Amino acid sequence: MEPLKNGLNLLPNLNGIVHHLNSISENEDWCNVDPSRAFVGNVKRLVVKLKELNTQGYEVILVTSGAVGLGRQRLRYRRLANSSFSDLQNPQNELDGKACAAVGQSCLMALYDTMFSQLDVTSSQLLVNDGFFRDAGFRKQLSDTVSSLLDLRVIPIFNENDAVSTRKAPYEDSSGIFWDNDSLAGLLALELKADLLVLLSDVEGLYNGPPSDPNSRLIHTYIKEKHQGEITFGDKSRLGRGGMTAKVNAAVCAAYAGIPVVITSGFATNNIMRVLQGERIGTVFHKDAHLWINIKEVSAHEMAVAARDGSRQLQVLSSEERKKILLAMADALEKNTSTITLENKADVADAETAGYEKSLISRLTLKPEKISGLVKSVRMLADMEEPVGQILKRTELADNLILEKISSPLGVLLVIFESRPDALVQIAALAIRSGNGLLLKGGKEARRSNAVLHKVITSVMPDTVGDRIIGLITSREEIPDLLKLDGVIDLVIPRGSNKLVSQIKESTKIPVLGHADGICHVYLDKAANIDMAKQIVRDAKTDYPAACNAMETLLVHKDLSSNSGLDELIIELQREGVQLFGGPRASSLLKIPESSSFHHEYSSLACTIEIVEDVFAAIDHINQHGRHDFCIIFILIMDSISIIFSKISYFPCGFCSAHTECIVTEDSEVAETFLRQVDSAAVFHNASTRFCDGARFGLGAEVGISTSRIHARGPVGVEGLLTNKWY
C-alpha cells in the first residue's frame, strides 16, 4: 500500500473495498437522552451515507451498538406506564442488561430495516458472541455468508449478542477474542479481509490529551512507538462501552495485522466519504506509519504558538526597529520582483489550464506594477505614526492615581484568503506594524506565489523576532485544527466567498472579522448630473469588476427612465462590454434578461439594473437586498421509527453584504437622507464604490473589509488590529 496525497496514507477509492463502521449509537444512560434526537438522528445520518457507498459499488459491513440502550428505554417506559403511585415512591431496581439487550435488539433492527428500506437498500442481521470465533467451521461459514450478502448488494449489520453473552462488566475477556463492538469490528476486518476499517466516534479522532482540554491536539497519524506512552485518555466516552481507549486498542490490533484504520467523528455527516476521497481527517493507523516522512511536519498548534511568541518579541522592539523591518520588507519585495512574477505566472498558467473563471485569474495575477504598488504601501505603513502604545485616554482618579487607556496588539491573527497573493503582503505588513503574530492560509491556486512572497518577507525578520512570527499554512486540512485554537489565536479574518466566511463562522469559537458578499449599489437620483453619473458608474463597474467593492446593482430613479439620461448610460455600459440584467421593472422597460436574484455578486462585467420610485425606495432596496434576512432550518422530530411532524422555522442567519453603497445626486438633502439611512459599512455621495479601499482611505493597506458591527467596520487597517489595555 502506497501513501497517498496530503499524508493521509489511505487506500485509493476503488470498488470492492469492505468497510466496517462502528456506529456511535450506544448510550449507557438513556434516562437523560431523548432517543429521537440522539440515537435516531445518528442512525439516520449513517444510513444515508451507507446508501451512497452501496450505490457507488462499495462493499459495506456495519458493526453497530445500541440494543441495550433502546431496550432499556423501552422497558423503563413500560415499567413507568404500569406502575402505581406507591410504586413510584420506592426506589426502582435497575433493569437487567441482558433483558434490555433482548428487547432492544428487535427495536434496533426494525429501525435499521425501516430506514434502509426507505432508501431502497436491503440490510441483514448477524448476531455473534466471542466464543463462536473459536470454531474454525463457524468462521468459514461466516465468511461465506457475508460474501453471499455482499454479492447481492445487501448490507450486513453485525452486533454482539449481549442477551446471551457469558461475560460481565467490565466487559473484558481473558480469551482476547473481542470485548466490545470496537474490537468486534477489528476482528471482523481481519476475518473478512477488509481493505479499510472506519471507527466512528463522538470526537474528531485521537487527541494527545482529553479533547475538552484546549491544549490537546488532534493526532493525524498514530505512530505506536511515539504516541503509545504520551497519550492521556480522558473520561470514558458517553457513547459506547469502551470509549476512545477501546477504539485505539482495536485500531492498533487491526492496523498492525495489515488493515488500515481511521478513527473519525460520526457527527460530521460526510466524514466517511471524505476518508475515501483521501482527505486528511481523523486519525490514521497503519503498520508502516513510522516510515512515512511527513509525520514530523509542524502542527497547527506549534505554528500558532510560534506566532504568539514572535508577537511578544515584536512588541518589545521600539517603533524605529519595527519601522526598519517594514522598510527591509519593501526593499526585499522590490529586489525580488522578477522572481515573484515568474512564480506567479506559473500559478496563472495552471489556473487558466484548469479553467478557472476570469475574475479569479484577474485577482490571482501579480504584474510588476502591482508589486510596485505593494512596495509603496509597505513604505507608507512604515512612515505612519506608531500605533502601539498610544495613550487613548488619561484620567487622574485621585492624587497620584493615574489611569491610562493604551493601544495594544490583539495577539495572533489567522487570515484565510482566496486567489489574491497581494493580500499576503498587505496583511503581513499590517501585522508587523501592529505588533501581531500572523498565520496565513491562501488558496491552492496561488500556491507558488504565496510561497515565494512568504519566503521573501520572512527572510528580513530579525533573529530577536524569528521568521515564524508569520506562518504559512499550505494544507487546507490544517484549518479545522487552527479554528479550535481559541486559546492561542485571537482573531480570524476570512477574505473570500460567502461560502468560505459562513463555513468559518460555523466552525470556530474564535471571533471572526470579515464580510461575505460584496453586493454594492449605485443609486442615480432624479437630480443626478448625468455626465458625472456616467463616470461614476463606469468606474464602479469596469475599473476592476472582480473586486468586492465593484458595483453589482444600479438603481435608477423612475424619472430618469423617461428621458434620454438612462439610455445614454446603458449605451456607455454596453460599449464597455457590460452584460445587463434587469429587475422586474427594468427588464420590461429596457428589454433585457431578468435577473434571477438581487443578491448576486457577479465579480465580472455584468450587473443588475432596477427602476425605483425615489430615494426611499432605493434605501429600502439596498437595506433589504444588501443582506440575507433569513435562512430556513428544517426541524424533524421523530420517535424511534417514524417522523411525527416537520416544521419550518426562520432565523436571522447573520451573513450579510452591507458593503459599499453610493448615491449620485446634486440634491444635498436627498444625499443626506441616503447617507444616514443606508445601513452599510461605507456610504458615498458622488463617489465610486471603488473608493472603499484601505489604500484610498490612507490606511496604507487593508487586512480586509469588515461588514460586522463589532470591533471594526469597513476597510480594516492597523487600528482594526489593535485592542487596548489599562495602565
Side-chain angles (χ1 to χ4, degrees), residues 1-14 17 19 58 195-196 221 260 262 273-281 284 286 288-289 291-295 297 475 477:
M1 279 171 276
E2 295 295 328
L4 294 188
K5 61 182 181 178
N6 298 331
L8 181 55
N9 306 296
L10 286 181
L11 289 171
N13 191 351
L14 299 174
I17 292 178
H19 298 271
Y58 290 100
D195 294 297
L196 178 65
T221 305
V262 176
M273 298 302 296
R274 291 176 64 193
V275 166
L276 291 177
Q277 291 164 2
E279 291 192 38
R280 189 187 185 200
I281 61 171
V284 178
H286 194 285
D288 296 329
L291 302 176
W292 298 341
I293 60 174
N294 63 346
I295 61 174
E297 61 188 14
S475 170
E477 283 75 28

mmCIF file of all heavy atoms in Angstrom, residues 1-14 17 19 58 195-196 221 260 262 273-281 284 286 288-289 291-295 297 475 477:
data_model
loop_
_atom_site.group_PDB
_atom_site.id
_atom_site.type_symbol
_atom_site.label_atom_id
_atom_site.label_comp_id
_atom_site.label_asym_id
_atom_site.label_seq_id
_atom_site.Cartn_x
_atom_site.Cartn_y
_atom_site.Cartn_z
ATOM 1 N N MET A 1 0.843 -1.199 0.000
ATOM 2 C CA MET A 1 0.000 0.000 0.000
ATOM 3 C C MET A 1 0.872 1.241 0.000
ATOM 4 O O MET A 1 1.710 1.402 0.864
ATOM 5 C CB MET A 1 -0.920 0.013 1.210
ATOM 6 C CG MET A 1 -2.158 -0.843 1.011
ATOM 7 S SD MET A 1 -3.102 -1.023 2.514
ATOM 8 C CE MET A 1 -2.232 -2.360 3.273
ATOM 9 N N GLU A 2 0.643 2.115 -0.982
ATOM 10 C CA GLU A 2 1.468 3.307 -1.104
ATOM 11 C C GLU A 2 0.779 4.490 -0.437
ATOM 12 O O GLU A 2 -0.440 4.654 -0.550
ATOM 13 C CB GLU A 2 1.711 3.629 -2.591
ATOM 14 C CG GLU A 2 2.526 2.568 -3.318
ATOM 15 C CD GLU A 2 3.932 2.491 -2.771
ATOM 16 O OE1 GLU A 2 4.456 3.530 -2.344
ATOM 17 O OE2 GLU A 2 4.510 1.392 -2.768
ATOM 18 N N PRO A 3 1.547 5.361 0.237
ATOM 19 C CA PRO A 3 0.956 6.565 0.814
ATOM 20 C C PRO A 3 0.358 7.446 -0.274
ATOM 21 O O PRO A 3 0.914 7.558 -1.359
ATOM 22 C CB PRO A 3 2.143 7.249 1.500
ATOM 23 C CG PRO A 3 3.141 6.158 1.720
ATOM 24 C CD PRO A 3 2.969 5.223 0.565
ATOM 25 N N LEU A 4 -0.790 8.064 0.044
ATOM 26 C CA LEU A 4 -1.444 8.954 -0.903
ATOM 27 C C LEU A 4 -1.142 10.402 -0.575
ATOM 28 O O LEU A 4 -0.424 10.720 0.353
ATOM 29 C CB LEU A 4 -2.961 8.726 -0.871
ATOM 30 C CG LEU A 4 -3.432 7.354 -1.374
ATOM 31 C CD1 LEU A 4 -4.941 7.357 -1.463
ATOM 32 C CD2 LEU A 4 -2.844 7.031 -2.728
ATOM 33 N N LYS A 5 -1.743 11.302 -1.342
ATOM 34 C CA LYS A 5 -1.528 12.744 -1.190
ATOM 35 C C LYS A 5 -1.938 13.223 0.193
ATOM 36 O O LYS A 5 -2.724 12.598 0.869
ATOM 37 C CB LYS A 5 -2.345 13.493 -2.252
ATOM 38 C CG LYS A 5 -3.845 13.257 -2.129
ATOM 39 C CD LYS A 5 -4.588 13.969 -3.227
ATOM 40 C CE LYS A 5 -6.097 13.742 -3.070
ATOM 41 N NZ LYS A 5 -6.860 14.438 -4.087
ATOM 42 N N ASN A 6 -1.419 14.380 0.550
ATOM 43 C CA ASN A 6 -1.744 15.069 1.810
ATOM 44 C C ASN A 6 -1.346 14.269 3.040
ATOM 45 O O ASN A 6 -1.776 14.562 4.149
ATOM 46 C CB ASN A 6 -3.240 15.393 1.896
ATOM 47 C CG ASN A 6 -3.667 16.322 0.786
ATOM 48 O OD1 ASN A 6 -2.858 17.117 0.309
ATOM 49 N ND2 ASN A 6 -4.910 16.231 0.353
ATOM 50 N N GLY A 7 -0.535 13.233 2.855
ATOM 51 C CA GLY A 7 -0.059 12.492 4.009
ATOM 52 C C GLY A 7 -1.124 11.651 4.679
ATOM 53 O O GLY A 7 -0.948 11.179 5.791
ATOM 54 N N LEU A 8 -2.264 11.431 4.007
ATOM 55 C CA LEU A 8 -3.320 10.659 4.662
ATOM 56 C C LEU A 8 -2.989 9.171 4.651
ATOM 57 O O LEU A 8 -3.288 8.445 5.580
ATOM 58 C CB LEU A 8 -4.654 10.904 3.963
ATOM 59 C CG LEU A 8 -5.849 10.175 4.569
ATOM 60 C CD1 LEU A 8 -5.952 10.511 6.033
ATOM 61 C CD2 LEU A 8 -7.115 10.549 3.851
ATOM 62 N N ASN A 9 -2.355 8.701 3.592
ATOM 63 C CA ASN A 9 -1.889 7.317 3.529
ATOM 64 C C ASN A 9 -3.016 6.296 3.663
ATOM 65 O O ASN A 9 -2.994 5.418 4.512
ATOM 66 C CB ASN A 9 -0.840 7.063 4.603
ATOM 67 C CG ASN A 9 0.281 8.058 4.523
ATOM 68 O OD1 ASN A 9 1.016 8.103 3.550
ATOM 69 N ND2 ASN A 9 0.392 8.893 5.538
ATOM 70 N N LEU A 10 -4.023 6.468 2.806
ATOM 71 C CA LEU A 10 -5.128 5.511 2.765
ATOM 72 C C LEU A 10 -5.162 4.827 1.417
ATOM 73 O O LEU A 10 -4.488 5.219 0.472
ATOM 74 C CB LEU A 10 -6.464 6.231 2.986
ATOM 75 C CG LEU A 10 -6.727 6.681 4.411
ATOM 76 C CD1 LEU A 10 -8.074 7.345 4.481
ATOM 77 C CD2 LEU A 10 -6.688 5.512 5.364
ATOM 78 N N LEU A 11 -6.011 3.795 1.317
ATOM 79 C CA LEU A 11 -6.186 3.146 0.035
ATOM 80 C C LEU A 11 -6.875 4.076 -0.940
ATOM 81 O O LEU A 11 -7.664 4.924 -0.552
ATOM 82 C CB LEU A 11 -7.056 1.896 0.215
ATOM 83 C CG LEU A 11 -6.392 0.730 0.940
ATOM 84 C CD1 LEU A 11 -7.439 -0.322 1.226
ATOM 85 C CD2 LEU A 11 -5.284 0.154 0.085
ATOM 86 N N PRO A 12 -6.614 3.921 -2.246
ATOM 87 C CA PRO A 12 -7.351 4.703 -3.233
ATOM 88 C C PRO A 12 -8.816 4.304 -3.250
ATOM 89 O O PRO A 12 -9.198 3.252 -2.749
ATOM 90 C CB PRO A 12 -6.653 4.359 -4.552
ATOM 91 C CG PRO A 12 -5.977 3.058 -4.304
ATOM 92 C CD PRO A 12 -5.606 3.043 -2.853
ATOM 93 N N ASN A 13 -9.637 5.122 -3.869
ATOM 94 C CA ASN A 13 -11.086 4.938 -3.881
ATOM 95 C C ASN A 13 -11.459 3.912 -4.951
ATOM 96 O O ASN A 13 -11.818 4.262 -6.062
ATOM 97 C CB ASN A 13 -11.738 6.291 -4.160
ATOM 98 C CG ASN A 13 -13.228 6.244 -3.930
ATOM 99 O OD1 ASN A 13 -13.787 5.191 -3.730
ATOM 100 N ND2 ASN A 13 -13.862 7.393 -3.961
ATOM 101 N N LEU A 14 -11.361 2.598 -4.630
ATOM 102 C CA LEU A 14 -11.623 1.545 -5.595
ATOM 103 C C LEU A 14 -12.865 0.770 -5.201
ATOM 104 O O LEU A 14 -13.226 0.686 -4.037
ATOM 105 C CB LEU A 14 -10.433 0.575 -5.655
ATOM 106 C CG LEU A 14 -9.091 1.166 -6.087
ATOM 107 C CD1 LEU A 14 -8.010 0.106 -5.950
ATOM 108 C CD2 LEU A 14 -9.153 1.673 -7.509
ATOM 109 N N ILE A 17 -13.956 -2.408 -1.925
ATOM 110 C CA ILE A 17 -13.445 -2.187 -0.576
ATOM 111 C C ILE A 17 -14.529 -2.537 0.432
ATOM 112 O O ILE A 17 -15.688 -2.173 0.266
ATOM 113 C CB ILE A 17 -13.010 -0.723 -0.393
ATOM 114 C CG1 ILE A 17 -11.786 -0.450 -1.263
ATOM 115 C CG2 ILE A 17 -12.692 -0.421 1.059
ATOM 116 C CD1 ILE A 17 -11.303 0.980 -1.180
ATOM 117 N N HIS A 19 -15.918 -1.985 4.121
ATOM 118 C CA HIS A 19 -15.800 -1.006 5.209
ATOM 119 C C HIS A 19 -16.534 -1.521 6.432
ATOM 120 O O HIS A 19 -17.694 -1.918 6.339
ATOM 121 C CB HIS A 19 -16.417 0.332 4.799
ATOM 122 C CG HIS A 19 -15.742 0.943 3.646
ATOM 123 N ND1 HIS A 19 -14.671 1.772 3.754
ATOM 124 C CD2 HIS A 19 -15.966 0.797 2.327
ATOM 125 C CE1 HIS A 19 -14.270 2.124 2.567
ATOM 126 N NE2 HIS A 19 -15.042 1.543 1.678
ATOM 127 N N TYR A 58 -19.383 0.125 -3.447
ATOM 128 C CA TYR A 58 -18.551 -0.321 -2.323
ATOM 129 C C TYR A 58 -19.254 -1.459 -1.582
ATOM 130 O O TYR A 58 -20.484 -1.502 -1.504
ATOM 131 C CB TYR A 58 -18.313 0.829 -1.349
ATOM 132 C CG TYR A 58 -17.414 1.914 -1.865
ATOM 133 C CD1 TYR A 58 -17.952 3.085 -2.374
ATOM 134 C CD2 TYR A 58 -16.037 1.768 -1.842
ATOM 135 C CE1 TYR A 58 -17.130 4.098 -2.857
ATOM 136 C CE2 TYR A 58 -15.211 2.768 -2.309
ATOM 137 C CZ TYR A 58 -15.759 3.929 -2.822
ATOM 138 O OH TYR A 58 -14.937 4.911 -3.289
ATOM 139 N N ASP A 195 -10.476 -3.969 3.377
ATOM 140 C CA ASP A 195 -9.474 -3.023 2.880
ATOM 141 C C ASP A 195 -9.347 -1.805 3.781
ATOM 142 O O ASP A 195 -8.341 -1.101 3.730
ATOM 143 C CB ASP A 195 -9.848 -2.558 1.473
ATOM 144 C CG ASP A 195 -9.777 -3.690 0.476
ATOM 145 O OD1 ASP A 195 -8.682 -4.226 0.274
ATOM 146 O OD2 ASP A 195 -10.821 -4.055 -0.092
ATOM 147 N N LEU A 196 -10.365 -1.534 4.574
ATOM 148 C CA LEU A 196 -10.334 -0.347 5.434
ATOM 149 C C LEU A 196 -11.324 -0.515 6.572
ATOM 150 O O LEU A 196 -12.423 -1.038 6.386
ATOM 151 C CB LEU A 196 -10.698 0.905 4.630
ATOM 152 C CG LEU A 196 -10.749 2.240 5.392
ATOM 153 C CD1 LEU A 196 -9.361 2.621 5.896
ATOM 154 C CD2 LEU A 196 -11.295 3.339 4.501
ATOM 155 N N THR A 221 -1.754 11.121 12.437
ATOM 156 C CA THR A 221 -1.196 9.809 12.130
ATOM 157 C C THR A 221 -0.660 9.193 13.418
ATOM 158 O O THR A 221 0.210 9.770 14.063
ATOM 159 C CB THR A 221 -0.056 9.921 11.095
ATOM 160 O OG1 THR A 221 -0.541 10.602 9.938
ATOM 161 C CG2 THR A 221 0.437 8.543 10.697
ATOM 162 N N PRO A 260 -5.648 -1.041 7.320
ATOM 163 C CA PRO A 260 -5.624 0.399 7.641
ATOM 164 C C PRO A 260 -6.890 0.802 8.393
ATOM 165 O O PRO A 260 -7.982 0.308 8.092
ATOM 166 C CB PRO A 260 -5.578 1.074 6.265
ATOM 167 C CG PRO A 260 -5.126 0.016 5.323
ATOM 168 C CD PRO A 260 -5.629 -1.272 5.870
ATOM 169 N N VAL A 262 -9.096 4.199 10.296
ATOM 170 C CA VAL A 262 -9.280 5.623 10.551
ATOM 171 C C VAL A 262 -10.315 5.784 11.654
ATOM 172 O O VAL A 262 -11.400 5.207 11.583
ATOM 173 C CB VAL A 262 -9.755 6.382 9.291
ATOM 174 C CG1 VAL A 262 -10.025 7.846 9.621
ATOM 175 C CG2 VAL A 262 -8.729 6.285 8.180
ATOM 176 N N MET A 273 -17.217 9.595 3.401
ATOM 177 C CA MET A 273 -16.866 9.878 2.013
ATOM 178 C C MET A 273 -15.551 10.641 1.933
ATOM 179 O O MET A 273 -14.732 10.409 1.037
ATOM 180 C CB MET A 273 -17.985 10.676 1.345
ATOM 181 C CG MET A 273 -19.318 9.967 1.274
ATOM 182 S SD MET A 273 -19.249 8.392 0.388
ATOM 183 C CE MET A 273 -18.823 8.956 -1.247
ATOM 184 N N ARG A 274 -15.322 11.532 2.863
ATOM 185 C CA ARG A 274 -14.074 12.310 2.844
ATOM 186 C C ARG A 274 -12.860 11.422 3.083
ATOM 187 O O ARG A 274 -11.801 11.635 2.490
ATOM 188 C CB ARG A 274 -14.145 13.425 3.890
ATOM 189 C CG ARG A 274 -15.146 14.527 3.564
ATOM 190 C CD ARG A 274 -15.240 15.536 4.690
ATOM 191 N NE ARG A 274 -13.968 16.236 4.864
ATOM 192 C CZ ARG A 274 -13.694 16.985 5.938
ATOM 193 N NH1 ARG A 274 -14.580 17.101 6.919
ATOM 194 N NH2 ARG A 274 -12.532 17.602 6.020
ATOM 195 N N VAL A 275 -13.020 10.419 3.934
ATOM 196 C CA VAL A 275 -11.933 9.468 4.150
ATOM 197 C C VAL A 275 -11.604 8.752 2.842
ATOM 198 O O VAL A 275 -10.442 8.608 2.454
ATOM 199 C CB VAL A 275 -12.312 8.453 5.246
ATOM 200 C CG1 VAL A 275 -11.348 7.274 5.237
ATOM 201 C CG2 VAL A 275 -12.307 9.124 6.614
ATOM 202 N N LEU A 276 -12.634 8.297 2.129
ATOM 203 C CA LEU A 276 -12.419 7.578 0.879
ATOM 204 C C LEU A 276 -11.791 8.460 -0.196
ATOM 205 O O LEU A 276 -11.091 7.974 -1.083
ATOM 206 C CB LEU A 276 -13.750 7.027 0.365
ATOM 207 C CG LEU A 276 -14.365 5.902 1.198
ATOM 208 C CD1 LEU A 276 -15.698 5.489 0.634
ATOM 209 C CD2 LEU A 276 -13.428 4.717 1.252
ATOM 210 N N GLN A 277 -12.052 9.756 -0.128
ATOM 211 C CA GLN A 277 -11.502 10.678 -1.120
ATOM 212 C C GLN A 277 -10.084 11.124 -0.783
ATOM 213 O O GLN A 277 -9.495 11.939 -1.494
ATOM 214 C CB GLN A 277 -12.420 11.904 -1.247
ATOM 215 C CG GLN A 277 -13.763 11.567 -1.882
ATOM 216 C CD GLN A 277 -14.806 12.642 -1.670
ATOM 217 O OE1 GLN A 277 -14.526 13.693 -1.072
ATOM 218 N NE2 GLN A 277 -16.009 12.413 -2.151
ATOM 219 N N GLY A 278 -9.534 10.589 0.313
ATOM 220 C CA GLY A 278 -8.140 10.872 0.620
ATOM 221 C C GLY A 278 -7.905 12.111 1.440
ATOM 222 O O GLY A 278 -6.771 12.578 1.542
ATOM 223 N N GLU A 279 -8.957 12.679 2.045
ATOM 224 C CA GLU A 279 -8.758 13.877 2.848
ATOM 225 C C GLU A 279 -8.136 13.521 4.193
ATOM 226 O O GLU A 279 -8.326 12.421 4.729
ATOM 227 C CB GLU A 279 -10.083 14.614 3.062
ATOM 228 C CG GLU A 279 -10.632 15.242 1.801
ATOM 229 C CD GLU A 279 -11.777 16.192 2.090
ATOM 230 O OE1 GLU A 279 -11.709 16.907 3.112
ATOM 231 O OE2 GLU A 279 -12.746 16.206 1.311
ATOM 232 N N ARG A 280 -7.416 14.467 4.727
ATOM 233 C CA ARG A 280 -6.710 14.246 5.989
ATOM 234 C C ARG A 280 -7.614 14.611 7.150
ATOM 235 O O ARG A 280 -7.560 15.711 7.687
ATOM 236 C CB ARG A 280 -5.446 15.096 6.004
ATOM 237 C CG ARG A 280 -4.518 14.781 7.168
ATOM 238 C CD ARG A 280 -3.393 15.777 7.190
ATOM 239 N NE ARG A 280 -2.413 15.477 8.193
ATOM 240 C CZ ARG A 280 -1.562 16.366 8.672
ATOM 241 N NH1 ARG A 280 -1.569 17.596 8.228
ATOM 242 N NH2 ARG A 280 -0.686 16.027 9.584
ATOM 243 N N ILE A 281 -8.457 13.687 7.529
ATOM 244 C CA ILE A 281 -9.345 13.910 8.669
ATOM 245 C C ILE A 281 -9.195 12.744 9.629
ATOM 246 O O ILE A 281 -8.787 11.646 9.248
ATOM 247 C CB ILE A 281 -10.817 14.068 8.239
ATOM 248 C CG1 ILE A 281 -11.306 12.790 7.540
ATOM 249 C CG2 ILE A 281 -11.008 15.265 7.345
ATOM 250 C CD1 ILE A 281 -12.782 12.782 7.294
ATOM 251 N N VAL A 284 -5.253 8.335 11.491
ATOM 252 C CA VAL A 284 -4.940 7.165 10.678
ATOM 253 C C VAL A 284 -4.029 6.221 11.459
ATOM 254 O O VAL A 284 -3.067 6.662 12.097
ATOM 255 C CB VAL A 284 -4.237 7.588 9.370
ATOM 256 C CG1 VAL A 284 -3.877 6.363 8.543
ATOM 257 C CG2 VAL A 284 -5.118 8.521 8.576
ATOM 258 N N HIS A 286 -1.721 2.736 10.732
ATOM 259 C CA HIS A 286 -1.172 1.919 9.653
ATOM 260 C C HIS A 286 0.125 1.291 10.143
ATOM 261 O O HIS A 286 0.911 1.940 10.843
ATOM 262 C CB HIS A 286 -0.926 2.773 8.405
ATOM 263 C CG HIS A 286 -0.679 1.983 7.167
ATOM 264 N ND1 HIS A 286 0.507 1.333 6.916
ATOM 265 C CD2 HIS A 286 -1.479 1.731 6.092
ATOM 266 C CE1 HIS A 286 0.434 0.719 5.747
ATOM 267 N NE2 HIS A 286 -0.761 0.951 5.229
ATOM 268 N N ASP A 288 2.814 0.749 8.641
ATOM 269 C CA ASP A 288 4.020 1.403 8.116
ATOM 270 C C ASP A 288 4.075 2.891 8.443
ATOM 271 O O ASP A 288 4.870 3.622 7.859
ATOM 272 C CB ASP A 288 4.092 1.219 6.595
ATOM 273 C CG ASP A 288 4.233 -0.237 6.194
ATOM 274 O OD1 ASP A 288 4.850 -0.992 6.979
ATOM 275 O OD2 ASP A 288 3.738 -0.621 5.127
ATOM 276 N N ALA A 289 3.219 3.340 9.363
ATOM 277 C CA ALA A 289 3.135 4.778 9.641
ATOM 278 C C ALA A 289 4.471 5.358 10.089
ATOM 279 O O ALA A 289 4.792 6.511 9.793
ATOM 280 C CB ALA A 289 2.062 5.050 10.700
ATOM 281 N N LEU A 291 7.251 4.844 8.971
ATOM 282 C CA LEU A 291 8.163 5.045 7.840
ATOM 283 C C LEU A 291 7.812 6.285 7.022
ATOM 284 O O LEU A 291 8.597 6.683 6.150
ATOM 285 C CB LEU A 291 8.132 3.820 6.915
ATOM 286 C CG LEU A 291 8.502 2.477 7.559
ATOM 287 C CD1 LEU A 291 8.331 1.344 6.554
ATOM 288 C CD2 LEU A 291 9.930 2.524 8.086
ATOM 289 N N TRP A 292 6.659 6.846 7.281
ATOM 290 C CA TRP A 292 6.216 7.972 6.458
ATOM 291 C C TRP A 292 6.964 9.229 6.861
ATOM 292 O O TRP A 292 7.073 9.573 8.039
ATOM 293 C CB TRP A 292 4.705 8.193 6.596
ATOM 294 C CG TRP A 292 3.925 7.016 6.120
ATOM 295 C CD1 TRP A 292 4.349 6.014 5.311
ATOM 296 C CD2 TRP A 292 2.569 6.699 6.464
ATOM 297 N NE1 TRP A 292 3.353 5.096 5.109
ATOM 298 C CE2 TRP A 292 2.243 5.486 5.797
ATOM 299 C CE3 TRP A 292 1.591 7.318 7.236
ATOM 300 C CZ2 TRP A 292 1.000 4.897 5.898
ATOM 301 C CZ3 TRP A 292 0.361 6.732 7.341
ATOM 302 C CH2 TRP A 292 0.065 5.534 6.678
ATOM 303 N N ILE A 293 7.432 9.960 5.867
ATOM 304 C CA ILE A 293 8.319 11.096 6.141
ATOM 305 C C ILE A 293 7.572 12.327 6.616
ATOM 306 O O ILE A 293 8.176 13.245 7.164
ATOM 307 C CB ILE A 293 9.142 11.460 4.892
ATOM 308 C CG1 ILE A 293 8.204 11.832 3.722
ATOM 309 C CG2 ILE A 293 10.062 10.328 4.493
ATOM 310 C CD1 ILE A 293 8.933 12.348 2.503
ATOM 311 N N ASN A 294 6.267 12.366 6.415
ATOM 312 C CA ASN A 294 5.554 13.599 6.733
ATOM 313 C C ASN A 294 5.074 13.663 8.176
ATOM 314 O O ASN A 294 4.346 14.569 8.549
ATOM 315 C CB ASN A 294 4.347 13.789 5.810
ATOM 316 C CG ASN A 294 3.328 12.689 5.985
ATOM 317 O OD1 ASN A 294 3.614 11.672 6.583
ATOM 318 N ND2 ASN A 294 2.149 12.898 5.430
ATOM 319 N N ILE A 295 5.485 12.710 9.011
ATOM 320 C CA ILE A 295 4.973 12.701 10.381
ATOM 321 C C ILE A 295 5.642 13.763 11.241
ATOM 322 O O ILE A 295 5.186 14.064 12.329
ATOM 323 C CB ILE A 295 5.163 11.316 11.027
ATOM 324 C CG1 ILE A 295 6.647 10.941 11.083
ATOM 325 C CG2 ILE A 295 4.380 10.261 10.296
ATOM 326 C CD1 ILE A 295 6.928 9.651 11.840
ATOM 327 N N GLU A 297 6.092 16.952 10.330
ATOM 328 C CA GLU A 297 5.743 18.309 9.942
ATOM 329 C C GLU A 297 5.191 19.086 11.137
ATOM 330 O O GLU A 297 4.627 18.521 12.065
ATOM 331 C CB GLU A 297 4.734 18.288 8.799
ATOM 332 C CG GLU A 297 3.426 17.602 9.150
ATOM 333 C CD GLU A 297 2.528 17.435 7.942
ATOM 334 O OE1 GLU A 297 3.009 17.608 6.812
ATOM 335 O OE2 GLU A 297 1.342 17.136 8.153
ATOM 336 N N SER A 475 -1.729 23.450 3.773
ATOM 337 C CA SER A 475 -2.731 22.399 3.600
ATOM 338 C C SER A 475 -4.050 22.837 4.215
ATOM 339 O O SER A 475 -4.100 23.292 5.360
ATOM 340 C CB SER A 475 -2.259 21.104 4.271
ATOM 341 O OG SER A 475 -3.297 20.158 4.320
ATOM 342 N N GLU A 477 -6.252 20.989 5.238
ATOM 343 C CA GLU A 477 -6.616 20.079 6.317
ATOM 344 C C GLU A 477 -6.189 20.606 7.681
ATOM 345 O O GLU A 477 -6.637 20.111 8.707
ATOM 346 C CB GLU A 477 -5.998 18.694 6.078
ATOM 347 C CG GLU A 477 -6.736 17.855 5.027
ATOM 348 C CD GLU A 477 -6.451 18.340 3.618
ATOM 349 O OE1 GLU A 477 -5.363 18.913 3.394
ATOM 350 O OE2 GLU A 477 -7.315 18.158 2.733
#
